Amino acid sequence: MTATAQRGRKKPAKGQRPTGWKAMLWWIGAAIVALAVVVLLTRWVRGLEPVQEFLLTYPGQSELPEGAPVGLPAWLGWQHFLNAFFLVLIIRSGWKVRNTARPPGHWTRRNTGWFKTRNKPTKISLDLWFHLSLDVLWLLNGLVFVVLLFVTGGWMRIVPTSWDVFPNALSAALQYASLNWPIENGWVNYNSLQLLAYFAIVFIAAPLAAITGVRMSSAWPKGHPKLDQAYPIELARKIHFPVMFFFVGFVIVHVGLVFSTGMLANLNHMYAAREGAGWLGFWLFAASLAVMVAAWFLARPIFLRPLAGLTGKISK
């Protein structure tokens, strides 16, 4: 390296935060240390007599209402797969929409047939078209899920019906944090922390993602200043992006617990609608994972353009 190049090369300032791989390694190390501190502290707390009495009173699981269904139906398996499939691609496409400066193409809806409108269609990026299309499919799948949930009585497994769900959730959290995890049987009843997490995903996070996404999309009615003022787009953006991170965090924790709390039994519950520790659920999960990975790599402009061209005009 020449002396000129050496002089032009910037040295990191003192106290400057590391970037790139160094930053990632730093955060991983900090997370491991923080996790170790939490585990040790929680183990100490669990040794206190009042905490032990609390854990005996609230073991981590609330009683289900009378008439609650036992087991997981087959429809929940394909609903679970479709939800995961759409969610993975929604996160991928949403990230591209947010971070792509020069889109690979644009799409303009054909203003004919059932979708003919008085206003001229808005030209949007191909990535945004893909993201919005996935949103619609995800919402339709979610609507089917919620309907089946209430028709079959499955809602009783993920909707709090007693106030003791909150102390039981705290109990379950203490047990997880101390690595002495609660004894449970998801085939019959989720622990209270799971129940609240599933309730938050289905009835809070999903609706928030939908209503903020509509506000940010071209589907929002134009020319209504009072409506825009009542629900400003800036507010929708402030909510929409953190909700995505909530979904990502939930998926990471959910998958981690599925694999670490009896993988075969859990996968049989979720994918094969059966109790036990056979391998059918695992192979169904592996097949669904292969489909999601393939879709991830196929979600490229060369494949998206023909699909988008079925309903609109493609341009640069």
Side-chain angles (χ1 to χ4, degrees):
M1 185 180 293
T2 65
T4 304
Q6 289 178 344
R7 285 194 299 270
R9 189 177 180 183
K10 293 182 179 180
K11 295 182 179 180
K14 291 183 178 180
Q16 185 179 357
R17 292 182 180 180
T19 58
W21 284 104
K22 290 183 179 180
M24 183 179 296
L25 292 174
W26 188 91
W27 282 109
I28 291 174
I32 292 174
V33 172
L35 182 61
V37 170
V38 169
V39 171
L40 292 174
L41 183 61
T42 309
R43 283 180 173 272
W44 173 77
V45 168
R46 285 196 60 172
L48 301 176
E49 186 175 347
V51 177
Q52 292 178 357
E53 293 178 359
F54 173 80
L55 294 175
L56 288 174
T57 305
Y58 300 102
Q61 192 175 73
S62 296
E63 293 294 328
L64 289 175
E66 187 177 351
V70 176
L72 302 176
W75 62 263
L76 193 61
W78 54 261
Q79 275 283 315
H80 189 276
F81 161 69
L82 288 175
N83 183 61
F85 178 82
F86 291 135
L87 191 59
V88 165
L89 294 179
I90 284 171
I91 292 172
R92 181 188 189 276
S93 59
W95 188 259
K96 287 184 69 67
V97 168
R98 185 179 177 88
N99 294 282
T100 300
R102 299 183 63 182
H106 290 84
W107 174 85
T108 306
R109 176 177 57 84
R110 290 196 188 97
N111 201 20
T112 57
W114 291 356
F115 298 100
K116 187 175 182 179
T117 58
R118 184 168 48 186
N119 296 327
K120 184 179 179 181
T122 304
K123 182 180 179 180
I124 62 176
S125 70
L126 194 62
D127 292 327
L128 182 56
W129 166 84
F130 188 46
H131 185 70
L132 295 176
S133 300
L134 291 166
D135 285 341
V136 171
L137 294 174
W138 180 64
L139 289 173
L140 289 175
N141 183 66
L143 180 62
V144 172
F145 170 76
V146 171
V147 170
L148 290 174
L149 202 63
F150 282 95
V151 168
T152 61
W155 65 269
M156 288 182 277
R157 291 172 58 96
I158 66 168
V159 175
T161 57
S162 173
W163 286 108
D164 72 353
V165 69
F166 297 106
N168 273 301
L170 177 59
S171 171
L174 287 171
Q175 294 175 67
Y176 278 124
S178 65
L179 299 185
N180 187 8
W181 292 349
I183 299 173
E184 59 186 33
N185 182 6
W187 183 255
V188 177
N189 190 7
Y190 299 126
N191 70 55
S192 293
L193 194 60
Q194 286 179 298
L195 186 153
L196 290 178
Y198 295 147
F199 176 81
I201 281 288
V202 174
F203 297 105
I204 299 176
L208 278 177
I211 61 178
T212 54
V214 169
R215 178 62 183 93
M216 296 162 58
S217 75
S218 56
W220 183 259
K222 296 178 176 60
H224 296 80
K226 290 185 178 181
L227 187 60
D228 293 341
Q229 187 178 5
Y231 186 16
I233 191 171
E234 292 78 13
L235 176 62
R237 286 172 178 157
K238 289 180 180 178
I239 296 174
H240 195 76
F241 195 58
V243 168
M244 184 203 74
F245 277 107
F246 177 75
F247 275 109
V248 172
F250 173 84
V251 169
I252 292 172
V253 174
H254 179 61
V255 173
L257 289 177
V258 165
F259 276 76
S260 58
T261 59
M263 180 185 72
L264 292 181
N266 288 333
L267 292 177
N268 268 331
H269 295 173
M270 296 161 60
Y271 286 90
R274 62 171 61 183
E275 192 175 13
W279 285 87
L280 178 60
F282 172 83
W283 293 117
L284 290 174
F285 165 74
S288 72
L289 190 62
V291 171
M292 287 188 278
V293 170
W296 180 281
F297 285 102
L298 291 175
R300 302 175 184 275
I302 190 174
F303 298 108
L304 295 181
R305 287 192 186 98
L307 286 176
L310 297 176
T311 56
K313 178 183 176 183
I314 306 300
S315 58
K316 292 184 179 179

